[in-house]
Amino acid sequence: QAPYFSVRKVDVMNPGPADRKDILDVAAVPIGRNIFSVDLDRIKENVEKNPWVETAIVTRSLPDKIVIQYQAYEPVAILSAGNMYYVNKGGHAFYKITKGDSLNYTFINAEDGAADINDELAQDRTSTAVNILDWAKKSKIIQPQDISDFSIHGSSYKGATPLSFTLAYPPANYLNKTKL
């Protein structure tokens, strides 16, 4: 119970896309409380509510500091579904894009009935588009930058994912034969 063990400082160890102030605000670490009575699991859950945070680790650093580390989602594409969102490698929209955010990603346009980002079928179709981008990364000829955009259509054709995309021809690696 000694004042020596009162929380005086909170550190966010890894800089990343999540705003440090937002992380500290959502963490809601009780400054002045005894460090041993602070609920680290609750702070972790709070930090993981930030749309950029995939996972968080919260630890005590004696005598008076709480340390927060997080693994951020990495955008791999942009989904247009009413608004524009960054999409992670799992194909899930995780962050609504605002003015000044980078638009340097492949564009996925969800048309008609595919525009609800919380709909399981729409998420599955977005995930399929992300899987094609991942396949392109492994290709010797086609690269992700050769795919400019995807369109996810609201109706299906004989159970298939209604997906179309624009591919640069010839692909960049085809023009630069030294990469093949």
Side-chain angles (χ1 to χ4, degrees), residues 9-56:
K9 186 173 182 184
V10 181
D11 278 348
V12 178
M13 295 303 292
N14 47 326
D19 183 72
R20 183 180 188 282
K21 183 185 177 318
D22 290 345
I23 293 290
L24 292 173
D25 287 347
V26 75
V29 177
I31 301 297
R33 182 178 286 170
N34 182 285
I35 198 164
F36 298 108
S37 68
V38 172
D39 185 349
L40 300 182
D41 290 333
R42 183 188 55 79
I43 294 169
K44 176 186 183 318
E45 289 172 8
N46 288 347
V47 170
E48 289 176 349
K49 290 178 184 174
N50 182 292
W52 280 103
V53 176
E54 184 174 3
T55 60

Side-chain angles (χ1 to χ4, degrees), residues 116-171:
D116 181 3
I117 65 167
N118 296 314
D119 178 70
E120 189 175 326
L121 183 57
Q123 287 179 359
D124 184 54
R125 292 172 176 172
T126 303
S127 180
T128 299
V130 170
N131 287 340
I132 292 170
L133 285 173
D134 189 49
W135 165 80
K137 286 180 188 176
K138 298 170 187 167
S139 171
K140 290 184 177 184
I141 297 175
I142 298 171
Q143 293 296 297
Q145 62 268 24
D146 293 326
I147 301 172
S148 63
D149 62 273
F150 283 90
S151 289
I152 301 172
H153 309 283
S155 58
S156 64
Y157 175 74
K158 296 182 182 177
T161 299
L163 182 69
S164 59
F165 60 93
T166 304
L167 178 65
Y169 185 82

